[in-house]
Amino acid sequence: MIISLIGFMAAGKTTMARELSAKVGAPMIDTDAYIEEREGKTISGIFAAVGEPGFRKIEEECLEDILEEHISEHPETLEDMHRCTLVLSLGGGIVTTPGCRDLISRFTYCVYVRTDIDTIFNRLSKDTGGRTLLENRGDAPLREVIERLYREREPLYEALARTTV
């Protein structure tokens, strides 16, 4: 089984994925790191070169590649964790792409890492960490952009998740 972690940027997906990976003895892949390695550019560099639509296309291709290498039957219960073959930490915006949502739903046990807006804002106000959608916000206040993106994405996270933590 492949376990995927979804949630907003700075929710703690990668940290949780590392811990889960160690606990179940399965490899862990952070899709943003995978994309950067494959493309030879930072996420910001990719956004600058091809824009968000181009990045989302690359993101979907990378997710397909990862799943093809680690495919498993659609998991039925979280109790099957002892058979985990991969832990995926997925980018915060991956759920905005219908093809990615389909792949996540069909081939992973999806866990939504829910974090409140105040916590996310506090983490991101200290460092936007190469998060292109926040760095390229123009004059819009950081909190306003975070709240807008969160409102847009939260229903997608909730609809896709089989478990929420």
Side-chain angles (χ1 to χ4, degrees), residues 43 72 89 114 118 125 146:
I43 300 298
S72 66
S89 174
R114 179 182 287 149
D118 289 334
S125 62
I146 290 169

Side-chain angles (χ1 to χ4, degrees), residues 16-106:
M16 291 182 79
R18 281 190 199 111
E19 291 173 7
L20 181 59
S21 169
K23 186 172 188 114
V24 300
M28 178 267 199
I29 296 175
D30 178 298
T31 56
D32 285 347
Y34 182 94
I35 291 166
E36 288 181 338
E37 185 175 325
R38 180 184 132 175
E39 297 298 309
K41 296 179 187 171
T42 64
I43 300 298
S44 296
I46 298 167
F47 264 79
V50 297
E52 186 174 4
F55 172 76
R56 297 295 174 207
K57 184 175 188 298
I58 292 168
E59 186 176 51
E60 184 173 359
E61 291 168 0
C62 287
L63 180 59
E64 287 173 348
D65 291 348
I66 292 166
L67 292 174
E68 283 179 15
E69 289 181 37
H70 297 88
I71 205 76
S72 66
E73 292 182 21
H74 188 70
E76 292 304 317
T77 67
L78 194 54
E79 288 77 37
D80 291 333
M81 267 178 59
H82 66 280
R83 294 187 297 138
C84 179
T85 58
L86 180 67
V87 178
L88 281 175
S89 174
L90 302 174
I94 200 166
V95 298
T96 63
T97 306
C100 289
R101 288 195 308 269
D102 180 58
L103 290 168
I104 294 163
S105 176
R106 288 176 49 213

Side-chain angles (χ1 to χ4, degrees), residues 103-121:
L103 290 168
I104 294 163
S105 176
R106 288 176 49 213
F107 300 110
T108 79
Y109 187 99
C110 184
V111 178
Y112 172 25
V113 179
R114 179 182 287 149
T115 307
D116 64 84
I117 290 177
D118 289 334
T119 301
I120 291 168
F121 175 73

Side-chain angles (χ1 to χ4, degrees), residues 135-153:
E135 290 177 344
N136 297 334
R137 68 183 188 275
D139 294 334
L142 179 62
R143 183 160 186 114
E144 185 178 296
V145 174
I146 290 169
E147 288 176 352
R148 179 182 54 79
L149 289 171
Y150 191 95
R151 280 191 310 273
E152 289 171 3
R153 294 176 180 178

